[in-house]
Amino acid sequence: MTFLSPDRLWLLALAPILAGLYIVLQMRRRNYAVRFTNLALLSQVAPKRPGWRRHVAAVLFLAMIILMMIGFARPASSVKVPRDRATIMVAVDVSLSMMAQDVAPNRMEAAKAAAKKFIRELPSRFNVGVVSFAGNANLIAAPSADRDTAIASLDQLSLAKRTAIGEAVFTSLQAIRTFDTQAAHDPPPAHIVLLSDGDNTTGRSVQEAVDASRAAHVPVSTIAFGTPYGTVDIEGETTSVSVNKEALKTLATSTQGKAYEAADAGQLREVYTNIGSSLGFKIEHRDVAARYTGIALLFALAAGGFSLAWFSRLP
Protein backbone atom coordinates (compact mmCIF):
# COMPACT_ATOMS: atom_id res chain seq x y z
CA MET A 1 0.00 0.00 0.00
CA THR A 2 1.24 3.50 -0.90
CA PHE A 3 0.72 6.53 1.35
CA LEU A 4 0.88 10.17 0.23
CA SER A 5 1.53 13.32 2.24
CA PRO A 6 -1.91 15.01 2.62
CA ASP A 7 -0.44 18.53 2.72
CA ARG A 8 0.93 18.14 -0.82
CA LEU A 9 -1.91 16.22 -2.48
CA TRP A 10 -3.61 19.49 -3.51
CA LEU A 11 -1.18 19.69 -6.43
CA LEU A 12 -2.99 16.79 -8.11
CA ALA A 13 -5.94 19.16 -8.61
CA LEU A 14 -3.85 20.93 -11.28
CA ALA A 15 -3.85 17.81 -13.48
CA PRO A 16 -7.52 18.03 -14.59
CA ILE A 17 -7.05 21.81 -15.08
CA LEU A 18 -4.17 21.17 -17.49
CA ALA A 19 -6.18 18.50 -19.28
CA GLY A 20 -9.13 20.88 -19.56
CA LEU A 21 -6.93 23.65 -21.01
CA TYR A 22 -5.60 21.26 -23.64
CA ILE A 23 -9.12 20.23 -24.65
CA VAL A 24 -10.21 23.89 -24.87
CA LEU A 25 -7.25 24.72 -27.13
CA GLN A 26 -8.08 21.78 -29.40
CA MET A 27 -11.71 22.90 -29.63
CA ARG A 28 -10.67 26.47 -30.55
CA ARG A 29 -8.35 25.15 -33.24
CA ARG A 30 -11.18 23.05 -34.69
CA ASN A 31 -13.55 26.03 -34.69
CA TYR A 32 -10.97 28.12 -36.55
CA ALA A 33 -10.71 25.44 -39.23
CA VAL A 34 -14.51 25.29 -39.68
CA ARG A 35 -14.65 29.07 -40.40
CA PHE A 36 -12.63 28.45 -43.56
CA THR A 37 -15.60 27.48 -45.76
CA ASN A 38 -13.75 26.37 -48.91
CA LEU A 39 -12.83 22.94 -47.56
CA ALA A 40 -11.67 21.64 -50.96
CA LEU A 41 -9.11 24.45 -51.29
CA LEU A 42 -8.13 24.04 -47.61
CA SER A 43 -7.31 20.38 -48.15
CA GLN A 44 -4.98 21.33 -51.02
CA VAL A 45 -3.09 24.20 -49.37
CA ALA A 46 -2.98 22.95 -45.79
CA PRO A 47 -0.47 20.26 -44.87
CA LYS A 48 -1.80 16.85 -43.96
CA ARG A 49 -2.85 16.87 -40.30
CA PRO A 50 -1.18 14.33 -38.02
CA GLY A 51 -4.53 13.16 -36.61
CA TRP A 52 -4.32 11.17 -33.38
CA ARG A 53 -0.52 11.41 -33.26
CA ARG A 54 -0.62 15.08 -32.29
CA HIS A 55 -2.25 14.05 -28.96
CA VAL A 56 0.30 11.39 -27.96
CA ALA A 57 3.00 13.79 -26.81
CA ALA A 58 0.44 15.86 -24.88
CA VAL A 59 -0.94 12.77 -23.09
CA LEU A 60 2.56 11.58 -22.20
CA PHE A 61 3.48 15.06 -20.97
CA LEU A 62 0.36 15.19 -18.77
CA ALA A 63 1.14 11.72 -17.36
CA MET A 64 4.66 12.92 -16.57
CA ILE A 65 3.28 15.94 -14.71
CA ILE A 66 0.91 13.74 -12.66
CA LEU A 67 3.71 11.34 -11.73
CA MET A 68 5.97 14.20 -10.68
CA MET A 69 3.17 15.60 -8.53
CA ILE A 70 2.76 12.21 -6.86
CA GLY A 71 6.52 12.07 -6.26
CA PHE A 72 6.42 15.55 -4.73
CA ALA A 73 3.70 14.30 -2.33
CA ARG A 74 6.34 12.01 -0.75
CA PRO A 75 4.75 8.59 -1.40
CA ALA A 76 5.69 5.84 1.06
CA SER A 77 5.16 2.11 0.73
CA SER A 78 4.48 -0.38 3.54
CA VAL A 79 7.30 -2.91 3.90
CA LYS A 80 7.52 -5.96 6.19
CA VAL A 81 10.87 -5.89 8.02
CA PRO A 82 12.13 -8.85 10.11
CA ARG A 83 12.37 -8.21 13.85
CA ASP A 84 15.77 -9.58 14.88
CA ARG A 85 15.03 -9.48 18.66
CA ALA A 86 11.69 -11.30 18.42
CA THR A 87 11.46 -13.76 21.32
CA ILE A 88 9.27 -16.81 21.94
CA MET A 89 8.93 -18.28 25.44
CA VAL A 90 7.73 -21.90 25.60
CA ALA A 91 6.23 -22.80 29.01
CA VAL A 92 5.66 -26.53 29.66
CA ASP A 93 3.45 -27.94 32.43
CA VAL A 94 5.25 -30.69 34.43
CA SER A 95 2.57 -31.27 37.09
CA LEU A 96 1.62 -34.84 38.06
CA SER A 97 -1.64 -34.58 36.09
CA MET A 98 0.49 -34.57 32.92
CA MET A 99 1.09 -38.32 33.50
CA ALA A 100 -2.48 -39.02 32.28
CA GLN A 101 -2.54 -41.28 29.25
CA ASP A 102 -5.68 -39.91 27.62
CA VAL A 103 -3.30 -38.30 25.08
CA ALA A 104 -0.87 -40.92 23.72
CA PRO A 105 1.58 -41.90 25.05
CA ASN A 106 0.78 -39.46 27.88
CA ARG A 107 0.17 -35.73 28.22
CA MET A 108 3.77 -35.01 29.24
CA GLU A 109 5.41 -36.78 26.31
CA ALA A 110 2.90 -35.32 23.88
CA ALA A 111 3.61 -31.81 25.20
CA LYS A 112 7.38 -32.33 24.95
CA ALA A 113 7.07 -33.61 21.37
CA ALA A 114 4.90 -30.64 20.39
CA ALA A 115 7.30 -28.18 22.02
CA LYS A 116 10.32 -29.70 20.27
CA LYS A 117 8.59 -29.62 16.89
CA PHE A 118 7.52 -26.04 17.45
CA ILE A 119 11.07 -24.93 18.38
CA ARG A 120 12.66 -26.75 15.42
CA GLU A 121 10.30 -25.09 12.95
CA LEU A 122 10.81 -21.55 14.23
CA PRO A 123 12.79 -19.43 11.73
CA SER A 124 16.33 -18.50 12.77
CA ARG A 125 15.35 -14.85 13.33
CA PHE A 126 13.44 -15.89 16.49
CA ASN A 127 15.02 -16.27 19.91
CA VAL A 128 13.47 -19.01 22.04
CA GLY A 129 13.48 -19.76 25.76
CA VAL A 130 11.92 -22.54 27.86
CA VAL A 131 10.12 -22.43 31.22
CA SER A 132 8.91 -25.47 33.18
CA PHE A 133 6.24 -25.19 35.86
CA ALA A 134 4.54 -27.31 38.48
CA GLY A 135 4.33 -25.97 42.08
CA ASN A 136 6.56 -23.10 40.91
CA ALA A 137 8.10 -22.00 37.61
CA ASN A 138 11.74 -22.22 36.52
CA LEU A 139 13.61 -20.81 33.54
CA ILE A 140 15.42 -23.86 32.19
CA ALA A 141 16.68 -22.31 28.92
CA ALA A 142 17.25 -18.56 28.62
CA PRO A 143 15.97 -17.04 25.36
CA SER A 144 18.57 -17.24 22.59
CA ALA A 145 19.01 -18.40 19.01
CA ASP A 146 20.44 -21.74 20.26
CA ARG A 147 17.78 -24.31 19.31
CA ASP A 148 19.79 -27.30 20.54
CA THR A 149 19.98 -25.95 24.11
CA ALA A 150 16.25 -25.24 24.19
CA ILE A 151 15.37 -28.71 22.92
CA ALA A 152 17.86 -30.42 25.25
CA SER A 153 16.28 -28.66 28.23
CA LEU A 154 12.96 -30.38 27.45
CA ASP A 155 14.60 -33.79 27.88
CA GLN A 156 15.55 -32.89 31.47
CA LEU A 157 11.96 -32.26 32.61
CA SER A 158 10.65 -34.13 35.65
CA LEU A 159 7.15 -34.20 37.14
CA ALA A 160 6.17 -32.50 40.40
CA LYS A 161 3.08 -31.66 42.45
CA ARG A 162 0.64 -28.81 41.81
CA THR A 163 0.28 -26.44 38.81
CA ALA A 164 1.32 -22.78 38.79
CA ILE A 165 0.16 -21.39 35.43
CA GLY A 166 0.27 -17.81 36.67
CA GLU A 167 3.86 -18.22 37.85
CA ALA A 168 4.82 -19.67 34.47
CA VAL A 169 3.60 -16.50 32.76
CA PHE A 170 5.39 -14.23 35.25
CA THR A 171 8.66 -16.17 34.87
CA SER A 172 8.38 -15.95 31.08
CA LEU A 173 7.77 -12.20 31.26
CA GLN A 174 10.81 -11.80 33.51
CA ALA A 175 12.98 -13.68 30.98
CA ILE A 176 11.74 -11.34 28.26
CA ARG A 177 12.49 -8.24 30.36
CA THR A 178 16.08 -9.42 30.92
CA PHE A 179 16.69 -10.69 27.38
CA ASP A 180 19.49 -8.19 26.70
CA THR A 181 20.91 -4.90 28.00
CA GLN A 182 18.21 -2.80 26.38
CA ALA A 183 15.25 -5.04 27.28
CA ALA A 184 14.55 -3.19 30.53
CA HIS A 185 13.58 0.01 28.70
CA ASP A 186 12.98 -1.47 25.23
CA PRO A 187 11.75 -5.07 25.60
CA PRO A 188 11.86 -7.25 22.50
CA PRO A 189 8.63 -8.14 20.67
CA ALA A 190 7.59 -11.38 22.34
CA HIS A 191 5.00 -14.13 22.57
CA ILE A 192 4.45 -16.85 25.17
CA VAL A 193 3.31 -20.36 24.16
CA LEU A 194 2.03 -22.28 27.19
CA LEU A 195 1.41 -26.04 27.06
CA SER A 196 -0.71 -27.41 29.91
CA ASP A 197 -3.80 -29.33 30.97
CA GLY A 198 -5.08 -26.09 32.37
CA ASP A 199 -5.79 -26.21 36.10
CA ASN A 200 -4.08 -23.46 38.12
CA THR A 201 -3.75 -24.79 41.69
CA THR A 202 -1.06 -22.62 43.32
CA GLY A 203 0.78 -19.33 43.01
CA ARG A 204 -0.56 -16.20 41.38
CA SER A 205 -3.90 -16.46 39.62
CA VAL A 206 -4.60 -16.65 35.90
CA GLN A 207 -6.19 -13.20 36.11
CA GLU A 208 -3.00 -11.74 37.58
CA ALA A 209 -1.07 -13.35 34.74
CA VAL A 210 -3.52 -11.83 32.24
CA ASP A 211 -3.04 -8.37 33.75
CA ALA A 212 0.75 -8.66 33.68
CA SER A 213 0.81 -9.91 30.08
CA ARG A 214 -1.48 -7.15 28.89
CA ALA A 215 0.62 -4.53 30.66
CA ALA A 216 3.72 -5.89 28.94
CA HIS A 217 1.93 -6.23 25.56
CA VAL A 218 2.93 -9.90 25.35
CA PRO A 219 0.25 -12.28 24.03
CA VAL A 220 -0.05 -15.77 25.53
CA SER A 221 -1.14 -18.60 23.25
CA THR A 222 -2.15 -21.84 24.98
CA ILE A 223 -2.17 -25.47 23.91
CA ALA A 224 -4.48 -27.71 25.93
CA PHE A 225 -3.40 -31.33 26.48
CA GLY A 226 -5.95 -33.84 27.75
CA THR A 227 -9.59 -34.89 27.69
CA PRO A 228 -12.39 -34.84 30.29
CA TYR A 229 -11.62 -38.49 31.03
CA GLY A 230 -7.98 -38.38 32.11
CA THR A 231 -6.85 -40.13 35.29
CA VAL A 232 -3.53 -40.60 37.11
CA ASP A 233 -2.38 -42.93 39.88
CA ILE A 234 -0.94 -40.93 42.78
CA GLU A 235 0.27 -42.85 45.83
CA GLY A 236 -1.89 -45.84 44.93
CA GLU A 237 -5.06 -43.84 44.33
CA THR A 238 -6.66 -43.15 40.95
CA THR A 239 -7.44 -39.46 40.58
CA SER A 240 -9.52 -37.80 37.87
CA VAL A 241 -7.61 -35.03 36.05
CA SER A 242 -9.88 -33.62 33.36
CA VAL A 243 -8.40 -30.85 31.22
CA ASN A 244 -9.49 -27.29 32.02
CA LYS A 245 -9.76 -25.82 28.53
CA GLU A 246 -11.74 -22.80 29.71
CA ALA A 247 -8.94 -21.54 31.97
CA LEU A 248 -6.45 -21.78 29.11
CA LYS A 249 -8.85 -20.18 26.67
CA THR A 250 -9.43 -17.29 29.07
CA LEU A 251 -5.69 -16.74 29.41
CA ALA A 252 -5.21 -16.75 25.64
CA THR A 253 -8.15 -14.62 24.53
CA SER A 254 -7.66 -12.07 27.31
CA THR A 255 -4.07 -11.42 26.16
CA GLN A 256 -4.82 -11.42 22.41
CA GLY A 257 -3.28 -14.85 21.98
CA LYS A 258 -4.90 -17.98 20.51
CA ALA A 259 -6.18 -21.11 22.27
CA TYR A 260 -5.38 -24.47 20.66
CA GLU A 261 -6.01 -28.12 21.42
CA ALA A 262 -3.35 -30.81 21.14
CA ALA A 263 -5.95 -33.24 19.81
CA ASP A 264 -6.30 -31.09 16.69
CA ALA A 265 -3.16 -31.37 14.54
CA GLY A 266 -4.45 -28.71 12.15
CA GLN A 267 -4.73 -26.19 14.97
CA LEU A 268 -1.24 -26.97 16.22
CA ARG A 269 0.16 -26.15 12.77
CA GLU A 270 -1.45 -22.74 13.06
CA VAL A 271 0.58 -21.86 16.17
CA TYR A 272 3.75 -21.06 14.27
CA THR A 273 1.90 -19.51 11.30
CA ASN A 274 -0.04 -17.04 13.46
CA ILE A 275 2.90 -16.12 15.67
CA GLY A 276 5.28 -15.86 12.73
CA SER A 277 3.03 -13.44 10.85
CA SER A 278 2.32 -11.17 13.82
CA LEU A 279 5.65 -11.24 15.67
CA GLY A 280 8.31 -11.99 13.10
CA PHE A 281 7.87 -8.74 11.17
CA LYS A 282 7.08 -5.09 11.72
CA ILE A 283 5.62 -2.67 9.20
CA GLU A 284 7.75 0.27 8.08
CA HIS A 285 6.87 3.04 5.65
CA ARG A 286 9.64 3.68 3.14
CA ASP A 287 9.93 6.62 0.74
CA VAL A 288 9.26 5.56 -2.88
CA ALA A 289 9.26 9.04 -4.49
CA ALA A 290 12.22 8.05 -6.69
CA ARG A 291 10.07 5.32 -8.27
CA TYR A 292 7.50 7.85 -9.50
CA THR A 293 10.17 10.35 -10.55
CA GLY A 294 11.90 7.65 -12.62
CA ILE A 295 8.67 6.69 -14.39
CA ALA A 296 7.93 10.38 -15.00
CA LEU A 297 11.35 10.72 -16.65
CA LEU A 298 10.53 7.81 -18.97
CA PHE A 299 7.25 9.48 -19.97
CA ALA A 300 9.11 12.76 -20.63
CA LEU A 301 11.65 10.97 -22.84
CA ALA A 302 8.84 9.20 -24.71
CA ALA A 303 6.96 12.47 -25.26
CA GLY A 304 10.09 14.16 -26.59
CA GLY A 305 10.99 11.20 -28.77
CA PHE A 306 7.58 10.93 -30.41
CA SER A 307 7.41 14.68 -30.98
CA LEU A 308 10.84 14.79 -32.64
CA ALA A 309 10.12 11.73 -34.77
CA TRP A 310 6.72 12.93 -36.02
CA PHE A 311 6.97 16.72 -35.99
CA SER A 312 10.74 17.45 -35.85
CA ARG A 313 10.26 19.55 -32.71
CA LEU A 314 9.92 19.16 -28.99
CA PRO A 315 6.44 19.45 -27.43
PDB file of all heavy atoms in Angstrom, residues 243-263:
ATOM      1  N   VAL A 243      -9.063 -32.060  31.698  1.00  0.00           N
ATOM      2  CA  VAL A 243      -8.401 -30.854  31.216  1.00  0.00           C
ATOM      3  C   VAL A 243      -9.305 -29.638  31.426  1.00  0.00           C
ATOM      4  O   VAL A 243     -10.523 -29.721  31.261  1.00  0.00           O
ATOM      5  CB  VAL A 243      -8.038 -31.004  29.728  1.00  0.00           C
ATOM      6  CG1 VAL A 243      -9.284 -31.148  28.866  1.00  0.00           C
ATOM      7  CG2 VAL A 243      -7.185 -29.846  29.252  1.00  0.00           C
ATOM      8  N   ASN A 244      -8.731 -28.528  31.818  1.00  0.00           N
ATOM      9  CA  ASN A 244      -9.485 -27.287  32.024  1.00  0.00           C
ATOM     10  C   ASN A 244      -9.235 -26.361  30.830  1.00  0.00           C
ATOM     11  O   ASN A 244      -8.417 -25.443  30.889  1.00  0.00           O
ATOM     12  CB  ASN A 244      -9.069 -26.616  33.330  1.00  0.00           C
ATOM     13  CG  ASN A 244      -9.982 -25.464  33.700  1.00  0.00           C
ATOM     14  OD1 ASN A 244     -10.710 -24.951  32.869  1.00  0.00           O
ATOM     15  ND2 ASN A 244      -9.947 -25.066  34.965  1.00  0.00           N
ATOM     16  N   LYS A 245      -9.971 -26.609  29.753  1.00  0.00           N
ATOM     17  CA  LYS A 245      -9.760 -25.819  28.535  1.00  0.00           C
ATOM     18  C   LYS A 245     -10.200 -24.371  28.716  1.00  0.00           C
ATOM     19  O   LYS A 245      -9.638 -23.468  28.098  1.00  0.00           O
ATOM     20  CB  LYS A 245     -10.528 -26.457  27.370  1.00  0.00           C
ATOM     21  CG  LYS A 245     -10.048 -27.841  26.984  1.00  0.00           C
ATOM     22  CD  LYS A 245     -10.882 -28.414  25.857  1.00  0.00           C
ATOM     23  CE  LYS A 245     -10.449 -29.838  25.533  1.00  0.00           C
ATOM     24  NZ  LYS A 245     -11.291 -30.426  24.451  1.00  0.00           N
ATOM     25  N   GLU A 246     -11.214 -24.165  29.543  1.00  0.00           N
ATOM     26  CA  GLU A 246     -11.737 -22.805  29.707  1.00  0.00           C
ATOM     27  C   GLU A 246     -10.702 -21.867  30.334  1.00  0.00           C
ATOM     28  O   GLU A 246     -10.593 -20.709  29.951  1.00  0.00           O
ATOM     29  CB  GLU A 246     -13.011 -22.835  30.544  1.00  0.00           C
ATOM     30  CG  GLU A 246     -14.207 -23.413  29.806  1.00  0.00           C
ATOM     31  CD  GLU A 246     -14.471 -22.711  28.482  1.00  0.00           C
ATOM     32  OE1 GLU A 246     -14.477 -21.455  28.468  1.00  0.00           O
ATOM     33  OE2 GLU A 246     -14.640 -23.394  27.464  1.00  0.00           O
ATOM     34  N   ALA A 247      -9.960 -22.380  31.327  1.00  0.00           N
ATOM     35  CA  ALA A 247      -8.937 -21.542  31.968  1.00  0.00           C
ATOM     36  C   ALA A 247      -7.867 -21.133  30.956  1.00  0.00           C
ATOM     37  O   ALA A 247      -7.423 -19.978  30.922  1.00  0.00           O
ATOM     38  CB  ALA A 247      -8.301 -22.284  33.137  1.00  0.00           C
ATOM     39  N   LEU A 248      -7.461 -22.083  30.120  1.00  0.00           N
ATOM     40  CA  LEU A 248      -6.450 -21.785  29.108  1.00  0.00           C
ATOM     41  C   LEU A 248      -6.993 -20.843  28.041  1.00  0.00           C
ATOM     42  O   LEU A 248      -6.293 -19.929  27.577  1.00  0.00           O
ATOM     43  CB  LEU A 248      -5.948 -23.080  28.470  1.00  0.00           C
ATOM     44  CG  LEU A 248      -5.194 -24.031  29.408  1.00  0.00           C
ATOM     45  CD1 LEU A 248      -4.866 -25.334  28.690  1.00  0.00           C
ATOM     46  CD2 LEU A 248      -3.921 -23.371  29.928  1.00  0.00           C
ATOM     47  N   LYS A 249      -8.242 -21.047  27.672  1.00  0.00           N
ATOM     48  CA  LYS A 249      -8.848 -20.175  26.668  1.00  0.00           C
ATOM     49  C   LYS A 249      -8.967 -18.748  27.194  1.00  0.00           C
ATOM     50  O   LYS A 249      -8.721 -17.773  26.462  1.00  0.00           O
ATOM     51  CB  LYS A 249     -10.225 -20.712  26.272  1.00  0.00           C
ATOM     52  CG  LYS A 249     -10.883 -19.930  25.147  1.00  0.00           C
ATOM     53  CD  LYS A 249     -12.201 -20.567  24.737  1.00  0.00           C
ATOM     54  CE  LYS A 249     -12.848 -19.792  23.596  1.00  0.00           C
ATOM     55  NZ  LYS A 249     -14.140 -20.402  23.191  1.00  0.00           N
ATOM     56  N   THR A 250      -9.329 -18.612  28.467  1.00  0.00           N
ATOM     57  CA  THR A 250      -9.427 -17.288  29.071  1.00  0.00           C
ATOM     58  C   THR A 250      -8.084 -16.579  29.054  1.00  0.00           C
ATOM     59  O   THR A 250      -7.988 -15.388  28.719  1.00  0.00           O
ATOM     60  CB  THR A 250      -9.938 -17.385  30.518  1.00  0.00           C
ATOM     61  OG1 THR A 250     -11.268 -17.938  30.504  1.00  0.00           O
ATOM     62  CG2 THR A 250      -9.967 -16.031  31.190  1.00  0.00           C
ATOM     63  N   LEU A 251      -7.038 -17.308  29.416  1.00  0.00           N
ATOM     64  CA  LEU A 251      -5.688 -16.736  29.412  1.00  0.00           C
ATOM     65  C   LEU A 251      -5.296 -16.271  28.009  1.00  0.00           C
ATOM     66  O   LEU A 251      -4.730 -15.178  27.842  1.00  0.00           O
ATOM     67  CB  LEU A 251      -4.688 -17.775  29.926  1.00  0.00           C
ATOM     68  CG  LEU A 251      -3.208 -17.395  29.895  1.00  0.00           C
ATOM     69  CD1 LEU A 251      -2.940 -16.133  30.698  1.00  0.00           C
ATOM     70  CD2 LEU A 251      -2.342 -18.558  30.408  1.00  0.00           C
ATOM     71  N   ALA A 252      -5.602 -17.082  27.008  1.00  0.00           N
ATOM     72  CA  ALA A 252      -5.211 -16.750  25.635  1.00  0.00           C
ATOM     73  C   ALA A 252      -6.011 -15.570  25.084  1.00  0.00           C
ATOM     74  O   ALA A 252      -5.445 -14.580  24.611  1.00  0.00           O
ATOM     75  CB  ALA A 252      -5.370 -17.966  24.735  1.00  0.00           C
ATOM     76  N   THR A 253      -7.320 -15.664  25.139  1.00  0.00           N
ATOM     77  CA  THR A 253      -8.146 -14.624  24.526  1.00  0.00           C
ATOM     78  C   THR A 253      -8.014 -13.286  25.243  1.00  0.00           C
ATOM     79  O   THR A 253      -8.124 -12.229  24.621  1.00  0.00           O
ATOM     80  CB  THR A 253      -9.623 -15.052  24.497  1.00  0.00           C
ATOM     81  OG1 THR A 253     -10.061 -15.359  25.827  1.00  0.00           O
ATOM     82  CG2 THR A 253      -9.805 -16.282  23.621  1.00  0.00           C
ATOM     83  N   SER A 254      -7.768 -13.318  26.548  1.00  0.00           N
ATOM     84  CA  SER A 254      -7.657 -12.067  27.306  1.00  0.00           C
ATOM     85  C   SER A 254      -6.347 -11.341  27.043  1.00  0.00           C
ATOM     86  O   SER A 254      -6.201 -10.168  27.392  1.00  0.00           O
ATOM     87  CB  SER A 254      -7.783 -12.348  28.812  1.00  0.00           C
ATOM     88  OG  SER A 254      -9.033 -12.913  29.119  1.00  0.00           O
ATOM     89  N   THR A 255      -5.364 -12.039  26.454  1.00  0.00           N
ATOM     90  CA  THR A 255      -4.068 -11.417  26.164  1.00  0.00           C
ATOM     91  C   THR A 255      -3.829 -11.272  24.657  1.00  0.00           C
ATOM     92  O   THR A 255      -2.703 -11.012  24.238  1.00  0.00           O
ATOM     93  CB  THR A 255      -2.923 -12.251  26.770  1.00  0.00           C
ATOM     94  OG1 THR A 255      -2.961 -13.581  26.217  1.00  0.00           O
ATOM     95  CG2 THR A 255      -3.052 -12.332  28.284  1.00  0.00           C
ATOM     96  N   GLN A 256      -4.888 -11.479  23.860  1.00  0.00           N
ATOM     97  CA  GLN A 256      -4.819 -11.419  22.409  1.00  0.00           C
ATOM     98  C   GLN A 256      -3.983 -12.535  21.805  1.00  0.00           C
ATOM     99  O   GLN A 256      -3.415 -12.393  20.712  1.00  0.00           O
ATOM    100  CB  GLN A 256      -4.301 -10.045  21.941  1.00  0.00           C
ATOM    101  CG  GLN A 256      -5.203  -8.897  22.352  1.00  0.00           C
ATOM    102  CD  GLN A 256      -4.759  -7.565  21.775  1.00  0.00           C
ATOM    103  OE1 GLN A 256      -3.626  -7.411  21.325  1.00  0.00           O
ATOM    104  NE2 GLN A 256      -5.655  -6.594  21.787  1.00  0.00           N
ATOM    105  N   GLY A 257      -3.905 -13.657  22.534  1.00  0.00           N
ATOM    106  CA  GLY A 257      -3.280 -14.853  21.979  1.00  0.00           C
ATOM    107  C   GLY A 257      -4.342 -15.757  21.376  1.00  0.00           C
ATOM    108  O   GLY A 257      -5.493 -15.372  21.201  1.00  0.00           O
ATOM    109  N   LYS A 258      -3.981 -16.998  21.076  1.00  0.00           N
ATOM    110  CA  LYS A 258      -4.904 -17.980  20.511  1.00  0.00           C
ATOM    111  C   LYS A 258      -4.899 -19.227  21.384  1.00  0.00           C
ATOM    112  O   LYS A 258      -3.857 -19.608  21.930  1.00  0.00           O
ATOM    113  CB  LYS A 258      -4.495 -18.356  19.085  1.00  0.00           C
ATOM    114  CG  LYS A 258      -4.605 -17.204  18.077  1.00  0.00           C
ATOM    115  CD  LYS A 258      -6.057 -16.896  17.775  1.00  0.00           C
ATOM    116  CE  LYS A 258      -6.167 -15.834  16.686  1.00  0.00           C
ATOM    117  NZ  LYS A 258      -5.788 -16.345  15.361  1.00  0.00           N
ATOM    118  N   ALA A 259      -6.064 -19.867  21.494  1.00  0.00           N
ATOM    119  CA  ALA A 259      -6.184 -21.106  22.268  1.00  0.00           C
ATOM    120  C   ALA A 259      -6.269 -22.282  21.301  1.00  0.00           C
ATOM    121  O   ALA A 259      -7.093 -22.283  20.383  1.00  0.00           O
ATOM    122  CB  ALA A 259      -7.420 -21.054  23.163  1.00  0.00           C
ATOM    123  N   TYR A 260      -5.427 -23.295  21.529  1.00  0.00           N
ATOM    124  CA  TYR A 260      -5.377 -24.466  20.660  1.00  0.00           C
ATOM    125  C   TYR A 260      -5.592 -25.728  21.486  1.00  0.00           C
ATOM    126  O   TYR A 260      -5.482 -25.715  22.709  1.00  0.00           O
ATOM    127  CB  TYR A 260      -4.030 -24.556  19.933  1.00  0.00           C
ATOM    128  CG  TYR A 260      -3.716 -23.357  19.082  1.00  0.00           C
ATOM    129  CD1 TYR A 260      -2.963 -22.302  19.599  1.00  0.00           C
ATOM    130  CD2 TYR A 260      -4.159 -23.266  17.776  1.00  0.00           C
ATOM    131  CE1 TYR A 260      -2.672 -21.193  18.832  1.00  0.00           C
ATOM    132  CE2 TYR A 260      -3.866 -22.160  16.995  1.00  0.00           C
ATOM    133  CZ  TYR A 260      -3.124 -21.125  17.534  1.00  0.00           C
ATOM    134  OH  TYR A 260      -2.837 -20.027  16.771  1.00  0.00           O
ATOM    135  N   GLU A 261      -5.849 -26.827  20.771  1.00  0.00           N
ATOM    136  CA  GLU A 261      -6.007 -28.119  21.424  1.00  0.00           C
ATOM    137  C   GLU A 261      -5.041 -29.117  20.803  1.00  0.00           C
ATOM    138  O   GLU A 261      -4.928 -29.201  19.575  1.00  0.00           O
ATOM    139  CB  GLU A 261      -7.446 -28.628  21.290  1.00  0.00           C
ATOM    140  CG  GLU A 261      -8.468 -27.761  22.002  1.00  0.00           C
ATOM    141  CD  GLU A 261      -9.880 -28.310  21.871  1.00  0.00           C
ATOM    142  OE1 GLU A 261     -10.012 -29.523  21.601  1.00  0.00           O
ATOM    143  OE2 GLU A 261     -10.840 -27.527  22.029  1.00  0.00           O
ATOM    144  N   ALA A 262      -4.351 -29.868  21.646  1.00  0.00           N
ATOM    145  CA  ALA A 262      -3.351 -30.812  21.145  1.00  0.00           C
ATOM    146  C   ALA A 262      -3.993 -31.914  20.317  1.00  0.00           C
ATOM    147  O   ALA A 262      -3.345 -32.511  19.461  1.00  0.00           O
ATOM    148  CB  ALA A 262      -2.586 -31.430  22.313  1.00  0.00           C
ATOM    149  N   ALA A 263      -5.278 -32.180  20.554  1.00  0.00           N
ATOM    150  CA  ALA A 263      -5.951 -33.239  19.810  1.00  0.00           C
ATOM    151  C   ALA A 263      -6.160 -32.854  18.353  1.00  0.00           C
ATOM    152  O   ALA A 263      -6.441 -33.704  17.514  1.00  0.00           O
ATOM    153  CB  ALA A 263      -7.299 -33.559  20.454  1.00  0.00           C
TER     154      ALA A 263
END
